[in-house]
């Protein structure tokens, strides 16, 4: 990928969980739609935002 440049905003998406520990798919969809409406260029799913560091 020599010469390829990535530009824009790439937020790492968090994974919302419900009270039982299952993925909250409705909230995940709403989060993705909110980011899309905000005009982000890409999203980084299934990633870490560095909170463990």
């Amino acid at each position: 990928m020599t010469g390829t440049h990535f530009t824009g905003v790439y937020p790492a998406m968090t994974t919302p969980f419900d009270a039982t520990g299952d993925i909250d798919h409705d909230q995940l969809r709403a989060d993705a739609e909110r980011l899309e409406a905000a005009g982000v260029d890409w999203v980084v799913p299934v990633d870490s935002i560095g909170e463990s560091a």
Side-chain angles (χ1 to χ4, degrees):
M1 293 181 54
T2 302
T4 301
H5 298 280
F6 295 95
T7 60
V9 177
Y10 296 72
M13 291 187 66
T14 58
T15 303
F17 295 95
D18 64 18
T20 65
D22 292 329
I23 295 175
D24 185 338
H25 290 95
D26 292 332
Q27 185 61 54
L28 182 60
R29 182 178 300 105
D31 291 348
E33 289 171 351
R34 180 179 51 82
L35 289 169
E36 180 183 24
V40 301
D41 299 291
W42 302 85
V43 295
V44 182
V46 195
D47 194 38
S48 172
I49 57 174
E51 67 277 3
S52 62

PDB file of all heavy atoms in Angstrom, residues 10-15 44 46-53:
ATOM      1  N   TYR A  10     -11.363   8.686  12.319  1.00  0.00           N
ATOM      2  CA  TYR A  10     -11.532   7.244  12.475  1.00  0.00           C
ATOM      3  C   TYR A  10     -11.808   6.905  13.941  1.00  0.00           C
ATOM      4  O   TYR A  10     -10.912   6.451  14.641  1.00  0.00           O
ATOM      5  CB  TYR A  10     -10.253   6.494  12.073  1.00  0.00           C
ATOM      6  CG  TYR A  10      -9.839   6.610  10.635  1.00  0.00           C
ATOM      7  CD1 TYR A  10      -9.318   7.778  10.128  1.00  0.00           C
ATOM      8  CD2 TYR A  10      -9.962   5.521   9.804  1.00  0.00           C
ATOM      9  CE1 TYR A  10      -8.925   7.867   8.820  1.00  0.00           C
ATOM     10  CE2 TYR A  10      -9.557   5.596   8.485  1.00  0.00           C
ATOM     11  CZ  TYR A  10      -9.042   6.779   8.000  1.00  0.00           C
ATOM     12  OH  TYR A  10      -8.652   6.847   6.697  1.00  0.00           O
ATOM     13  N   PRO A  11     -13.006   7.117  14.442  1.00  0.00           N
ATOM     14  CA  PRO A  11     -13.236   6.799  15.852  1.00  0.00           C
ATOM     15  C   PRO A  11     -13.317   5.284  16.088  1.00  0.00           C
ATOM     16  O   PRO A  11     -13.840   4.541  15.262  1.00  0.00           O
ATOM     17  CB  PRO A  11     -14.577   7.463  16.163  1.00  0.00           C
ATOM     18  CG  PRO A  11     -15.275   7.513  14.848  1.00  0.00           C
ATOM     19  CD  PRO A  11     -14.183   7.689  13.814  1.00  0.00           C
ATOM     20  N   ALA A  12     -12.755   4.853  17.202  1.00  0.00           N
ATOM     21  CA  ALA A  12     -12.909   3.457  17.621  1.00  0.00           C
ATOM     22  C   ALA A  12     -14.283   3.325  18.276  1.00  0.00           C
ATOM     23  O   ALA A  12     -14.632   4.102  19.154  1.00  0.00           O
ATOM     24  CB  ALA A  12     -11.818   3.083  18.612  1.00  0.00           C
ATOM     25  N   MET A  13     -15.053   2.381  17.801  1.00  0.00           N
ATOM     26  CA  MET A  13     -16.394   2.186  18.366  1.00  0.00           C
ATOM     27  C   MET A  13     -16.321   1.336  19.627  1.00  0.00           C
ATOM     28  O   MET A  13     -15.624   0.326  19.660  1.00  0.00           O
ATOM     29  CB  MET A  13     -17.316   1.511  17.356  1.00  0.00           C
ATOM     30  CG  MET A  13     -17.671   2.375  16.178  1.00  0.00           C
ATOM     31  SD  MET A  13     -18.920   1.599  15.123  1.00  0.00           S
ATOM     32  CE  MET A  13     -20.334   1.586  16.225  1.00  0.00           C
ATOM     33  N   THR A  14     -17.042   1.757  20.630  1.00  0.00           N
ATOM     34  CA  THR A  14     -17.174   0.936  21.824  1.00  0.00           C
ATOM     35  C   THR A  14     -18.267  -0.095  21.585  1.00  0.00           C
ATOM     36  O   THR A  14     -19.115   0.078  20.708  1.00  0.00           O
ATOM     37  CB  THR A  14     -17.533   1.789  23.048  1.00  0.00           C
ATOM     38  OG1 THR A  14     -18.759   2.488  22.783  1.00  0.00           O
ATOM     39  CG2 THR A  14     -16.435   2.793  23.362  1.00  0.00           C
ATOM     40  N   THR A  15     -18.254  -1.165  22.342  1.00  0.00           N
ATOM     41  CA  THR A  15     -19.286  -2.197  22.226  1.00  0.00           C
ATOM     42  C   THR A  15     -20.198  -2.095  23.433  1.00  0.00           C
ATOM     43  O   THR A  15     -19.767  -2.354  24.558  1.00  0.00           O
ATOM     44  CB  THR A  15     -18.659  -3.599  22.164  1.00  0.00           C
ATOM     45  OG1 THR A  15     -17.740  -3.640  21.073  1.00  0.00           O
ATOM     46  CG2 THR A  15     -19.727  -4.665  21.968  1.00  0.00           C
ATOM     47  N   VAL A  44     -13.687   2.252  13.426  1.00  0.00           N
ATOM     48  CA  VAL A  44     -12.800   1.135  13.749  1.00  0.00           C
ATOM     49  C   VAL A  44     -13.582   0.220  14.673  1.00  0.00           C
ATOM     50  O   VAL A  44     -13.656   0.445  15.871  1.00  0.00           O
ATOM     51  CB  VAL A  44     -11.504   1.635  14.432  1.00  0.00           C
ATOM     52  CG1 VAL A  44     -10.569   0.479  14.715  1.00  0.00           C
ATOM     53  CG2 VAL A  44     -10.825   2.693  13.576  1.00  0.00           C
ATOM     54  N   VAL A  46     -14.508  -3.373  16.682  1.00  0.00           N
ATOM     55  CA  VAL A  46     -13.814  -4.457  17.363  1.00  0.00           C
ATOM     56  C   VAL A  46     -12.363  -4.059  17.636  1.00  0.00           C
ATOM     57  O   VAL A  46     -11.424  -4.760  17.323  1.00  0.00           O
ATOM     58  CB  VAL A  46     -13.869  -5.774  16.533  1.00  0.00           C
ATOM     59  CG1 VAL A  46     -13.470  -6.966  17.382  1.00  0.00           C
ATOM     60  CG2 VAL A  46     -15.254  -6.004  15.943  1.00  0.00           C
ATOM     61  N   ASP A  47     -12.194  -2.902  18.229  1.00  0.00           N
ATOM     62  CA  ASP A  47     -10.866  -2.378  18.485  1.00  0.00           C
ATOM     63  C   ASP A  47     -10.774  -1.946  19.930  1.00  0.00           C
ATOM     64  O   ASP A  47     -11.758  -1.985  20.666  1.00  0.00           O
ATOM     65  CB  ASP A  47     -10.583  -1.205  17.551  1.00  0.00           C
ATOM     66  CG  ASP A  47      -9.116  -0.815  17.518  1.00  0.00           C
ATOM     67  OD1 ASP A  47      -8.270  -1.723  17.569  1.00  0.00           O
ATOM     68  OD2 ASP A  47      -8.844   0.382  17.431  1.00  0.00           O
ATOM     69  N   SER A  48      -9.639  -1.535  20.321  1.00  0.00           N
ATOM     70  CA  SER A  48      -9.409  -1.010  21.662  1.00  0.00           C
ATOM     71  C   SER A  48      -9.215   0.495  21.563  1.00  0.00           C
ATOM     72  O   SER A  48      -8.636   0.993  20.611  1.00  0.00           O
ATOM     73  CB  SER A  48      -8.169  -1.652  22.271  1.00  0.00           C
ATOM     74  OG  SER A  48      -7.839  -1.014  23.478  1.00  0.00           O
ATOM     75  N   ILE A  49      -9.697   1.205  22.549  1.00  0.00           N
ATOM     76  CA  ILE A  49      -9.463   2.654  22.592  1.00  0.00           C
ATOM     77  C   ILE A  49      -8.366   2.974  23.603  1.00  0.00           C
ATOM     78  O   ILE A  49      -8.185   4.107  23.982  1.00  0.00           O
ATOM     79  CB  ILE A  49     -10.764   3.424  22.885  1.00  0.00           C
ATOM     80  CG1 ILE A  49     -11.410   2.967  24.177  1.00  0.00           C
ATOM     81  CG2 ILE A  49     -11.730   3.291  21.726  1.00  0.00           C
ATOM     82  CD1 ILE A  49     -12.611   3.785  24.606  1.00  0.00           C
ATOM     83  N   GLY A  50      -7.630   1.951  24.044  1.00  0.00           N
ATOM     84  CA  GLY A  50      -6.477   2.161  24.892  1.00  0.00           C
ATOM     85  C   GLY A  50      -6.759   2.308  26.369  1.00  0.00           C
ATOM     86  O   GLY A  50      -5.905   2.732  27.130  1.00  0.00           O
ATOM     87  N   GLU A  51      -7.957   1.970  26.795  1.00  0.00           N
ATOM     88  CA  GLU A  51      -8.304   2.178  28.197  1.00  0.00           C
ATOM     89  C   GLU A  51      -7.498   1.294  29.140  1.00  0.00           C
ATOM     90  O   GLU A  51      -7.347   1.613  30.306  1.00  0.00           O
ATOM     91  CB  GLU A  51      -9.806   1.983  28.434  1.00  0.00           C
ATOM     92  CG  GLU A  51     -10.309   0.572  28.235  1.00  0.00           C
ATOM     93  CD  GLU A  51     -10.619   0.203  26.802  1.00  0.00           C
ATOM     94  OE1 GLU A  51     -10.399   1.008  25.897  1.00  0.00           O
ATOM     95  OE2 GLU A  51     -11.102  -0.918  26.578  1.00  0.00           O
ATOM     96  N   SER A  52      -6.956   0.201  28.657  1.00  0.00           N
ATOM     97  CA  SER A  52      -6.177  -0.682  29.533  1.00  0.00           C
ATOM     98  C   SER A  52      -4.783  -0.121  29.800  1.00  0.00           C
ATOM     99  O   SER A  52      -4.155  -0.476  30.783  1.00  0.00           O
ATOM    100  CB  SER A  52      -6.063  -2.077  28.937  1.00  0.00           C
ATOM    101  OG  SER A  52      -5.368  -2.013  27.703  1.00  0.00           O
ATOM    102  N   ALA A  53      -4.322   0.721  28.925  1.00  0.00           N
ATOM    103  CA  ALA A  53      -2.987   1.289  29.104  1.00  0.00           C
ATOM    104  C   ALA A  53      -3.019   2.281  30.243  1.00  0.00           C
ATOM    105  O   ALA A  53      -2.088   2.588  30.890  1.00  0.00           O
ATOM    106  CB  ALA A  53      -2.523   1.961  27.823  1.00  0.00           C
TER     107      ALA A  53
END
